[in-house]
Amino acid sequence: MGWTRIGMAFHRFPLSFLSPRFSAHPLPRSLSASVFSHQMSTDAQSVAARLNSAGFIRNQGFIGGKWTDAYDGKTIEVTNPATGEVITNVSCMGGRETNDAIASAQDAFVSWSKQTAAERSKCLRKWYDLIMAHKEELGQLMTLEQGKPLKEAIGEVSYGASFIEFYAEEAKRVYGDIIPATLPDRRLFVLKQPVGVVGAITPWNFPLAMITRKVAPALACGCTVVVKPSELTPLTALAAADLSIQAGIPPGAVNVVMGNASDIGEALLASPQVRKITFTGSTAVGKKLMAGAASTVKKVSLELGGNAPCIIFDDADLDVALKGALATKFRNSGQTCVCANRILVQEGIYDKFANAFSNAVSSLKVGDGFGEGVVQGPLINDAAVQKVESLLQDAISKGAKVLIGGKKHSLGMTFFEPTVITDVKSEMLLSREEVFGPVAPLLKFKTEEEAIRMANDTNAGLAAYIFTSSIKRSWRVSEALEYGLVGVNEGLISTEVAPFGGVKQSGLGREGSRYGMDEYLELCKEKHNKAGWFAATLSSPEHNAHGFETDECSKDPCSISI
């Protein structure tokens, strides 16, 4: 097939949020929502105070190894979506600051790219160690600004750090090639060299992992980076940048600018020094970046929107399918690009699955991410809530039925009830657009062929999931699905060791695995005339007439040290 896929990853579900001890009612009846909100506020404030006193909350940009205010003094608020309270005000940067960050990255590239792979590897390993040593603090910071449950946030820190660890090792494995020449007195070599300064634009839903998945391979290859995190969640990025300096990564190799997204993006696109743009976010923005990168012919990798189908056949193990569907749908309150956007269930088990799934969803505890047993936090902002409500209303108006949830949560703010909705049709907006919320639409299908047709009926092609007990069917269907990643009897498919990326309008390029290194490297061919300066006597164990030294212990094959 022409795309990368993760398949046959059979179930391994340590899913604590499936425990029946979690009540469908997050509040005791005697405790009002306002009292609970006050308690949330108090807990979040105490966490923020501790992090601030420990130096984990930074509010300036990071350019050339120095903490920098916006040149015009402007700031923007970073708020806690669970409480609406302001955590801090950070610098609101724009084009001028971004240009200085690019210049800093270019200056650092000259020396960083010339360091040995082993030296870069040691710095990355130290960065990994520091992040893991502070995973509790980073997880708390992430819960504060993004809202996801603390356990899930700490899990993201470990997941994000795994990319740094992996690429610390891969840094030493960037190999070139030797090509048989067409003439007897010529030698052809292929070298892989770092592309240069990288502009990395990252989203709010994974404030650390989406950064490390880009920055780690870039640094491993010898590139330097200007990171533009979401203005909604810049604090985790700034804390990670601080730890990178402590790890020995030189000033200028990692820069962070946040604020005016359009001005920052335009500066990254316009600069001829920026040789690569890597972006995770919406398809609409990705198209604009791709078009903008054309003026300076930049290398581009894009991880864009999805419309993931989760296909459950009637021969599936129902318990495995339930756990997998819950994991892929409700992680991060449904705010991930690989979330199951459509759950396709074969008609023979449709009603049975719908009832069992609704019962499981009703046990998901909603609340502030710092709360005990909470597995569903708030949506990121009011716009996210309005989008979910709009898509639900469209489906209901066209005949869909809400089994559970379907409205804002009694906690207020941007909390939304985990929702299951049945009788959903392919023409409804709920099936056509990425929901990015805790809504599980159930669609019915009759045959395998119909399921494949329904699944592929979209411009997106990021992730898909199938649940079946048939090995033959698992191979047959996974190869027929037009998606970059396919999980078989598995709802959690992302890992640092396998390539991540989509087909069709879900993006270009791959992140993670050894293939992720290629996104930050250029292939350079060198052609040498053997009769000229490269006429080395390969068999000699000593320095030859041209100043080369051969490895005495490796004459076959020959190893030349220049």
Side-chain angles (χ1 to χ4, degrees), residues 180-210:
T182 55
L183 297 174
D185 63 343
R186 301 293 190 272
R187 294 295 180 266
L188 299 177
F189 298 86
V190 176
L191 304 179
K192 291 183 178 181
Q193 296 181 325
V195 67
V197 176
V198 175
I201 303 173
T202 60
W204 50 263
N205 57 338
F206 290 93
L208 180 67
M210 296 301 98

PDB file of all heavy atoms in Angstrom, residues 180-210:
ATOM      1  N   PRO A 180      27.020   2.600  -6.935  1.00  0.00           N
ATOM      2  CA  PRO A 180      27.963   2.173  -7.982  1.00  0.00           C
ATOM      3  C   PRO A 180      28.005   3.195  -9.125  1.00  0.00           C
ATOM      4  O   PRO A 180      26.971   3.583  -9.658  1.00  0.00           O
ATOM      5  CB  PRO A 180      27.377   0.837  -8.461  1.00  0.00           C
ATOM      6  CG  PRO A 180      26.576   0.337  -7.288  1.00  0.00           C
ATOM      7  CD  PRO A 180      26.009   1.569  -6.650  1.00  0.00           C
ATOM      8  N   ALA A 181      29.188   3.625  -9.446  1.00  0.00           N
ATOM      9  CA  ALA A 181      29.344   4.676 -10.458  1.00  0.00           C
ATOM     10  C   ALA A 181      29.188   4.111 -11.866  1.00  0.00           C
ATOM     11  O   ALA A 181      29.394   2.919 -12.123  1.00  0.00           O
ATOM     12  CB  ALA A 181      30.706   5.341 -10.308  1.00  0.00           C
ATOM     13  N   THR A 182      28.850   5.000 -12.774  1.00  0.00           N
ATOM     14  CA  THR A 182      28.691   4.593 -14.176  1.00  0.00           C
ATOM     15  C   THR A 182      30.016   4.612 -14.936  1.00  0.00           C
ATOM     16  O   THR A 182      30.096   4.102 -16.054  1.00  0.00           O
ATOM     17  CB  THR A 182      27.703   5.523 -14.881  1.00  0.00           C
ATOM     18  OG1 THR A 182      28.144   6.876 -14.734  1.00  0.00           O
ATOM     19  CG2 THR A 182      26.322   5.380 -14.261  1.00  0.00           C
ATOM     20  N   LEU A 183      31.032   5.228 -14.336  1.00  0.00           N
ATOM     21  CA  LEU A 183      32.365   5.277 -14.946  1.00  0.00           C
ATOM     22  C   LEU A 183      33.384   4.704 -13.956  1.00  0.00           C
ATOM     23  O   LEU A 183      33.253   4.888 -12.740  1.00  0.00           O
ATOM     24  CB  LEU A 183      32.742   6.721 -15.304  1.00  0.00           C
ATOM     25  CG  LEU A 183      31.852   7.401 -16.354  1.00  0.00           C
ATOM     26  CD1 LEU A 183      32.235   8.869 -16.499  1.00  0.00           C
ATOM     27  CD2 LEU A 183      31.963   6.686 -17.696  1.00  0.00           C
ATOM     28  N   PRO A 184      34.416   4.039 -14.431  1.00  0.00           N
ATOM     29  CA  PRO A 184      35.356   3.351 -13.530  1.00  0.00           C
ATOM     30  C   PRO A 184      36.175   4.288 -12.644  1.00  0.00           C
ATOM     31  O   PRO A 184      36.665   3.868 -11.604  1.00  0.00           O
ATOM     32  CB  PRO A 184      36.242   2.550 -14.481  1.00  0.00           C
ATOM     33  CG  PRO A 184      36.138   3.265 -15.789  1.00  0.00           C
ATOM     34  CD  PRO A 184      34.747   3.797 -15.844  1.00  0.00           C
ATOM     35  N   ASP A 185      36.360   5.520 -13.054  1.00  0.00           N
ATOM     36  CA  ASP A 185      37.184   6.435 -12.257  1.00  0.00           C
ATOM     37  C   ASP A 185      36.346   7.425 -11.449  1.00  0.00           C
ATOM     38  O   ASP A 185      36.813   8.506 -11.089  1.00  0.00           O
ATOM     39  CB  ASP A 185      38.155   7.190 -13.170  1.00  0.00           C
ATOM     40  CG  ASP A 185      37.436   8.064 -14.183  1.00  0.00           C
ATOM     41  OD1 ASP A 185      36.219   7.834 -14.381  1.00  0.00           O
ATOM     42  OD2 ASP A 185      38.068   8.962 -14.766  1.00  0.00           O
ATOM     43  N   ARG A 186      35.096   7.098 -11.194  1.00  0.00           N
ATOM     44  CA  ARG A 186      34.214   7.974 -10.419  1.00  0.00           C
ATOM     45  C   ARG A 186      33.685   7.229  -9.187  1.00  0.00           C
ATOM     46  O   ARG A 186      33.570   6.000  -9.190  1.00  0.00           O
ATOM     47  CB  ARG A 186      33.021   8.452 -11.255  1.00  0.00           C
ATOM     48  CG  ARG A 186      33.381   9.212 -12.510  1.00  0.00           C
ATOM     49  CD  ARG A 186      34.031  10.551 -12.186  1.00  0.00           C
ATOM     50  NE  ARG A 186      34.152  11.386 -13.381  1.00  0.00           N
ATOM     51  CZ  ARG A 186      35.182  11.352 -14.208  1.00  0.00           C
ATOM     52  NH1 ARG A 186      36.162  10.488 -14.005  1.00  0.00           N
ATOM     53  NH2 ARG A 186      35.223  12.168 -15.257  1.00  0.00           N
ATOM     54  N   ARG A 187      33.360   8.006  -8.160  1.00  0.00           N
ATOM     55  CA  ARG A 187      32.711   7.467  -6.967  1.00  0.00           C
ATOM     56  C   ARG A 187      31.523   8.368  -6.616  1.00  0.00           C
ATOM     57  O   ARG A 187      31.658   9.606  -6.604  1.00  0.00           O
ATOM     58  CB  ARG A 187      33.679   7.402  -5.795  1.00  0.00           C
ATOM     59  CG  ARG A 187      34.820   6.419  -5.979  1.00  0.00           C
ATOM     60  CD  ARG A 187      34.320   4.971  -6.057  1.00  0.00           C
ATOM     61  NE  ARG A 187      35.407   4.020  -6.240  1.00  0.00           N
ATOM     62  CZ  ARG A 187      35.816   3.570  -7.426  1.00  0.00           C
ATOM     63  NH1 ARG A 187      35.227   4.007  -8.543  1.00  0.00           N
ATOM     64  NH2 ARG A 187      36.798   2.696  -7.499  1.00  0.00           N
ATOM     65  N   LEU A 188      30.372   7.767  -6.341  1.00  0.00           N
ATOM     66  CA  LEU A 188      29.167   8.519  -6.020  1.00  0.00           C
ATOM     67  C   LEU A 188      28.767   8.281  -4.567  1.00  0.00           C
ATOM     68  O   LEU A 188      28.645   7.133  -4.135  1.00  0.00           O
ATOM     69  CB  LEU A 188      28.014   8.096  -6.944  1.00  0.00           C
ATOM     70  CG  LEU A 188      28.218   8.319  -8.448  1.00  0.00           C
ATOM     71  CD1 LEU A 188      27.021   7.783  -9.205  1.00  0.00           C
ATOM     72  CD2 LEU A 188      28.413   9.802  -8.737  1.00  0.00           C
ATOM     73  N   PHE A 189      28.577   9.366  -3.852  1.00  0.00           N
ATOM     74  CA  PHE A 189      28.193   9.294  -2.453  1.00  0.00           C
ATOM     75  C   PHE A 189      26.885  10.071  -2.236  1.00  0.00           C
ATOM     76  O   PHE A 189      26.658  11.097  -2.867  1.00  0.00           O
ATOM     77  CB  PHE A 189      29.265   9.915  -1.547  1.00  0.00           C
ATOM     78  CG  PHE A 189      30.590   9.210  -1.607  1.00  0.00           C
ATOM     79  CD1 PHE A 189      31.522   9.525  -2.572  1.00  0.00           C
ATOM     80  CD2 PHE A 189      30.885   8.223  -0.678  1.00  0.00           C
ATOM     81  CE1 PHE A 189      32.743   8.876  -2.625  1.00  0.00           C
ATOM     82  CE2 PHE A 189      32.109   7.567  -0.734  1.00  0.00           C
ATOM     83  CZ  PHE A 189      33.052   7.884  -1.700  1.00  0.00           C
ATOM     84  N   VAL A 190      26.046   9.576  -1.337  1.00  0.00           N
ATOM     85  CA  VAL A 190      24.843  10.291  -0.934  1.00  0.00           C
ATOM     86  C   VAL A 190      24.964  10.601   0.554  1.00  0.00           C
ATOM     87  O   VAL A 190      25.129   9.691   1.376  1.00  0.00           O
ATOM     88  CB  VAL A 190      23.563   9.468  -1.193  1.00  0.00           C
ATOM     89  CG1 VAL A 190      22.345  10.211  -0.658  1.00  0.00           C
ATOM     90  CG2 VAL A 190      23.403   9.194  -2.678  1.00  0.00           C
ATOM     91  N   LEU A 191      24.890  11.864   0.890  1.00  0.00           N
ATOM     92  CA  LEU A 191      24.939  12.311   2.276  1.00  0.00           C
ATOM     93  C   LEU A 191      23.576  12.825   2.697  1.00  0.00           C
ATOM     94  O   LEU A 191      22.825  13.369   1.883  1.00  0.00           O
ATOM     95  CB  LEU A 191      25.974  13.432   2.445  1.00  0.00           C
ATOM     96  CG  LEU A 191      27.407  13.135   2.012  1.00  0.00           C
ATOM     97  CD1 LEU A 191      28.269  14.378   2.227  1.00  0.00           C
ATOM     98  CD2 LEU A 191      27.971  11.954   2.763  1.00  0.00           C
ATOM     99  N   LYS A 192      23.248  12.654   3.955  1.00  0.00           N
ATOM    100  CA  LYS A 192      22.050  13.252   4.527  1.00  0.00           C
ATOM    101  C   LYS A 192      22.472  14.395   5.436  1.00  0.00           C
ATOM    102  O   LYS A 192      23.231  14.192   6.388  1.00  0.00           O
ATOM    103  CB  LYS A 192      21.242  12.216   5.316  1.00  0.00           C
ATOM    104  CG  LYS A 192      20.597  11.158   4.447  1.00  0.00           C
ATOM    105  CD  LYS A 192      19.737  10.204   5.270  1.00  0.00           C
ATOM    106  CE  LYS A 192      19.059   9.176   4.376  1.00  0.00           C
ATOM    107  NZ  LYS A 192      18.201   8.243   5.177  1.00  0.00           N
ATOM    108  N   GLN A 193      21.979  15.589   5.133  1.00  0.00           N
ATOM    109  CA  GLN A 193      22.363  16.769   5.875  1.00  0.00           C
ATOM    110  C   GLN A 193      21.124  17.483   6.418  1.00  0.00           C
ATOM    111  O   GLN A 193      20.048  17.433   5.811  1.00  0.00           O
ATOM    112  CB  GLN A 193      23.173  17.715   4.978  1.00  0.00           C
ATOM    113  CG  GLN A 193      24.486  17.092   4.523  1.00  0.00           C
ATOM    114  CD  GLN A 193      25.304  18.027   3.648  1.00  0.00           C
ATOM    115  OE1 GLN A 193      24.743  18.786   2.865  1.00  0.00           O
ATOM    116  NE2 GLN A 193      26.618  17.973   3.780  1.00  0.00           N
ATOM    117  N   PRO A 194      21.250  18.163   7.564  1.00  0.00           N
ATOM    118  CA  PRO A 194      20.090  18.863   8.149  1.00  0.00           C
ATOM    119  C   PRO A 194      19.570  19.936   7.224  1.00  0.00           C
ATOM    120  O   PRO A 194      20.330  20.649   6.565  1.00  0.00           O
ATOM    121  CB  PRO A 194      20.641  19.455   9.449  1.00  0.00           C
ATOM    122  CG  PRO A 194      22.123  19.522   9.251  1.00  0.00           C
ATOM    123  CD  PRO A 194      22.464  18.345   8.381  1.00  0.00           C
ATOM    124  N   VAL A 195      18.248  20.057   7.178  1.00  0.00           N
ATOM    125  CA  VAL A 195      17.628  20.980   6.232  1.00  0.00           C
ATOM    126  C   VAL A 195      17.875  22.434   6.616  1.00  0.00           C
ATOM    127  O   VAL A 195      17.932  23.313   5.759  1.00  0.00           O
ATOM    128  CB  VAL A 195      16.118  20.678   6.125  1.00  0.00           C
ATOM    129  CG1 VAL A 195      15.393  20.994   7.411  1.00  0.00           C
ATOM    130  CG2 VAL A 195      15.487  21.408   4.959  1.00  0.00           C
ATOM    131  N   GLY A 196      18.017  22.725   7.919  1.00  0.00           N
ATOM    132  CA  GLY A 196      18.256  24.102   8.357  1.00  0.00           C
ATOM    133  C   GLY A 196      17.316  24.504   9.469  1.00  0.00           C
ATOM    134  O   GLY A 196      16.934  23.688  10.319  1.00  0.00           O
ATOM    135  N   VAL A 197      16.909  25.765   9.465  1.00  0.00           N
ATOM    136  CA  VAL A 197      15.992  26.285  10.484  1.00  0.00           C
ATOM    137  C   VAL A 197      14.583  25.764  10.213  1.00  0.00           C
ATOM    138  O   VAL A 197      14.109  25.799   9.073  1.00  0.00           O
ATOM    139  CB  VAL A 197      16.000  27.826  10.505  1.00  0.00           C
ATOM    140  CG1 VAL A 197      14.958  28.364  11.495  1.00  0.00           C
ATOM    141  CG2 VAL A 197      17.390  28.343  10.869  1.00  0.00           C
ATOM    142  N   VAL A 198      13.923  25.303  11.270  1.00  0.00           N
ATOM    143  CA  VAL A 198      12.587  24.726  11.169  1.00  0.00           C
ATOM    144  C   VAL A 198      11.590  25.614  11.907  1.00  0.00           C
ATOM    145  O   VAL A 198      11.844  26.031  13.048  1.00  0.00           O
ATOM    146  CB  VAL A 198      12.552  23.307  11.769  1.00  0.00           C
ATOM    147  CG1 VAL A 198      11.124  22.754  11.782  1.00  0.00           C
ATOM    148  CG2 VAL A 198      13.494  22.382  11.006  1.00  0.00           C
ATOM    149  N   GLY A 199      10.473  25.905  11.269  1.00  0.00           N
ATOM    150  CA  GLY A 199       9.360  26.563  11.937  1.00  0.00           C
ATOM    151  C   GLY A 199       8.334  25.517  12.322  1.00  0.00           C
ATOM    152  O   GLY A 199       7.790  24.832  11.456  1.00  0.00           O
ATOM    153  N   ALA A 200       8.087  25.361  13.625  1.00  0.00           N
ATOM    154  CA  ALA A 200       7.175  24.327  14.129  1.00  0.00           C
ATOM    155  C   ALA A 200       5.950  24.995  14.750  1.00  0.00           C
ATOM    156  O   ALA A 200       6.071  25.730  15.738  1.00  0.00           O
ATOM    157  CB  ALA A 200       7.883  23.446  15.153  1.00  0.00           C
ATOM    158  N   ILE A 201       4.791  24.738  14.176  1.00  0.00           N
ATOM    159  CA  ILE A 201       3.542  25.346  14.642  1.00  0.00           C
ATOM    160  C   ILE A 201       2.691  24.232  15.237  1.00  0.00           C
ATOM    161  O   ILE A 201       2.342  23.265  14.545  1.00  0.00           O
ATOM    162  CB  ILE A 201       2.806  26.046  13.483  1.00  0.00           C
ATOM    163  CG1 ILE A 201       3.732  27.095  12.837  1.00  0.00           C
ATOM    164  CG2 ILE A 201       1.527  26.701  13.980  1.00  0.00           C
ATOM    165  CD1 ILE A 201       3.164  27.725  11.583  1.00  0.00           C
ATOM    166  N   THR A 202       2.350  24.367  16.520  1.00  0.00           N
ATOM    167  CA  THR A 202       1.736  23.258  17.237  1.00  0.00           C
ATOM    168  C   THR A 202       0.386  23.651  17.844  1.00  0.00           C
ATOM    169  O   THR A 202       0.127  24.824  18.102  1.00  0.00           O
ATOM    170  CB  THR A 202       2.669  22.752  18.356  1.00  0.00           C
ATOM    171  OG1 THR A 202       2.923  23.815  19.288  1.00  0.00           O
ATOM    172  CG2 THR A 202       3.998  22.274  17.775  1.00  0.00           C
ATOM    173  N   PRO A 203      -0.490  22.667  18.101  1.00  0.00           N
ATOM    174  CA  PRO A 203      -1.845  22.935  18.592  1.00  0.00           C
ATOM    175  C   PRO A 203      -1.936  22.900  20.114  1.00  0.00           C
ATOM    176  O   PRO A 203      -0.951  22.612  20.811  1.00  0.00           O
ATOM    177  CB  PRO A 203      -2.641  21.773  17.982  1.00  0.00           C
ATOM    178  CG  PRO A 203      -1.673  20.631  18.015  1.00  0.00           C
ATOM    179  CD  PRO A 203      -0.308  21.235  17.767  1.00  0.00           C
ATOM    180  N   TRP A 204      -3.154  23.137  20.613  1.00  0.00           N
ATOM    181  CA  TRP A 204      -3.383  23.226  22.051  1.00  0.00           C
ATOM    182  C   TRP A 204      -3.763  21.890  22.681  1.00  0.00           C
ATOM    183  O   TRP A 204      -3.704  21.746  23.905  1.00  0.00           O
ATOM    184  CB  TRP A 204      -4.514  24.225  22.343  1.00  0.00           C
ATOM    185  CG  TRP A 204      -5.752  23.992  21.522  1.00  0.00           C
ATOM    186  CD1 TRP A 204      -6.101  24.628  20.368  1.00  0.00           C
ATOM    187  CD2 TRP A 204      -6.785  23.022  21.763  1.00  0.00           C
ATOM    188  NE1 TRP A 204      -7.280  24.124  19.878  1.00  0.00           N
ATOM    189  CE2 TRP A 204      -7.732  23.137  20.713  1.00  0.00           C
ATOM    190  CE3 TRP A 204      -7.017  22.082  22.766  1.00  0.00           C
ATOM    191  CZ2 TRP A 204      -8.874  22.342  20.645  1.00  0.00           C
ATOM    192  CZ3 TRP A 204      -8.149  21.280  22.697  1.00  0.00           C
ATOM    193  CH2 TRP A 204      -9.067  21.423  21.651  1.00  0.00           C
ATOM    194  N   ASN A 205      -4.157  20.897  21.890  1.00  0.00           N
ATOM    195  CA  ASN A 205      -4.711  19.685  22.504  1.00  0.00           C
ATOM    196  C   ASN A 205      -3.657  18.770  23.111  1.00  0.00           C
ATOM    197  O   ASN A 205      -3.947  18.021  24.041  1.00  0.00           O
ATOM    198  CB  ASN A 205      -5.595  18.920  21.506  1.00  0.00           C
ATOM    199  CG  ASN A 205      -4.873  18.552  20.235  1.00  0.00           C
ATOM    200  OD1 ASN A 205      -3.862  19.159  19.868  1.00  0.00           O
ATOM    201  ND2 ASN A 205      -5.377  17.557  19.534  1.00  0.00           N
ATOM    202  N   PHE A 206      -2.431  18.829  22.602  1.00  0.00           N
ATOM    203  CA  PHE A 206      -1.310  18.101  23.203  1.00  0.00           C
ATOM    204  C   PHE A 206      -0.147  19.085  23.329  1.00  0.00           C
ATOM    205  O   PHE A 206       0.744  19.128  22.477  1.00  0.00           O
ATOM    206  CB  PHE A 206      -0.921  16.893  22.357  1.00  0.00           C
ATOM    207  CG  PHE A 206      -1.945  15.785  22.393  1.00  0.00           C
ATOM    208  CD1 PHE A 206      -2.943  15.705  21.436  1.00  0.00           C
ATOM    209  CD2 PHE A 206      -1.916  14.837  23.409  1.00  0.00           C
ATOM    210  CE1 PHE A 206      -3.897  14.699  21.479  1.00  0.00           C
ATOM    211  CE2 PHE A 206      -2.859  13.821  23.459  1.00  0.00           C
ATOM    212  CZ  PHE A 206      -3.858  13.756  22.498  1.00  0.00           C
ATOM    213  N   PRO A 207      -0.137  19.879  24.409  1.00  0.00           N
ATOM    214  CA  PRO A 207       0.795  21.005  24.500  1.00  0.00           C
ATOM    215  C   PRO A 207       2.269  20.621  24.547  1.00  0.00           C
ATOM    216  O   PRO A 207       3.124  21.436  24.221  1.00  0.00           O
ATOM    217  CB  PRO A 207       0.384  21.695  25.813  1.00  0.00           C
ATOM    218  CG  PRO A 207      -1.027  21.259  26.060  1.00  0.00           C
ATOM    219  CD  PRO A 207      -1.102  19.868  25.522  1.00  0.00           C
ATOM    220  N   LEU A 208       2.583  19.377  24.940  1.00  0.00           N
ATOM    221  CA  LEU A 208       3.977  18.941  24.963  1.00  0.00           C
ATOM    222  C   LEU A 208       4.295  17.976  23.826  1.00  0.00           C
ATOM    223  O   LEU A 208       5.263  18.168  23.095  1.00  0.00           O
ATOM    224  CB  LEU A 208       4.315  18.276  26.300  1.00  0.00           C
ATOM    225  CG  LEU A 208       5.773  17.794  26.411  1.00  0.00           C
ATOM    226  CD1 LEU A 208       6.733  18.989  26.429  1.00  0.00           C
ATOM    227  CD2 LEU A 208       5.980  16.918  27.637  1.00  0.00           C
ATOM    228  N   ALA A 209       3.492  16.944  23.672  1.00  0.00           N
ATOM    229  CA  ALA A 209       3.825  15.874  22.727  1.00  0.00           C
ATOM    230  C   ALA A 209       3.904  16.363  21.288  1.00  0.00           C
ATOM    231  O   ALA A 209       4.732  15.876  20.507  1.00  0.00           O
ATOM    232  CB  ALA A 209       2.809  14.737  22.840  1.00  0.00           C
ATOM    233  N   MET A 210       3.033  17.312  20.902  1.00  0.00           N
ATOM    234  CA  MET A 210       3.085  17.808  19.530  1.00  0.00           C
ATOM    235  C   MET A 210       4.332  18.649  19.277  1.00  0.00           C
ATOM    236  O   MET A 210       4.732  18.835  18.123  1.00  0.00           O
ATOM    237  CB  MET A 210       1.834  18.621  19.208  1.00  0.00           C
ATOM    238  CG  MET A 210       0.540  17.835  19.237  1.00  0.00           C
ATOM    239  SD  MET A 210       0.475  16.435  18.090  1.00  0.00           S
ATOM    240  CE  MET A 210       0.892  15.073  19.194  1.00  0.00           C
TER     241      MET A 210
END
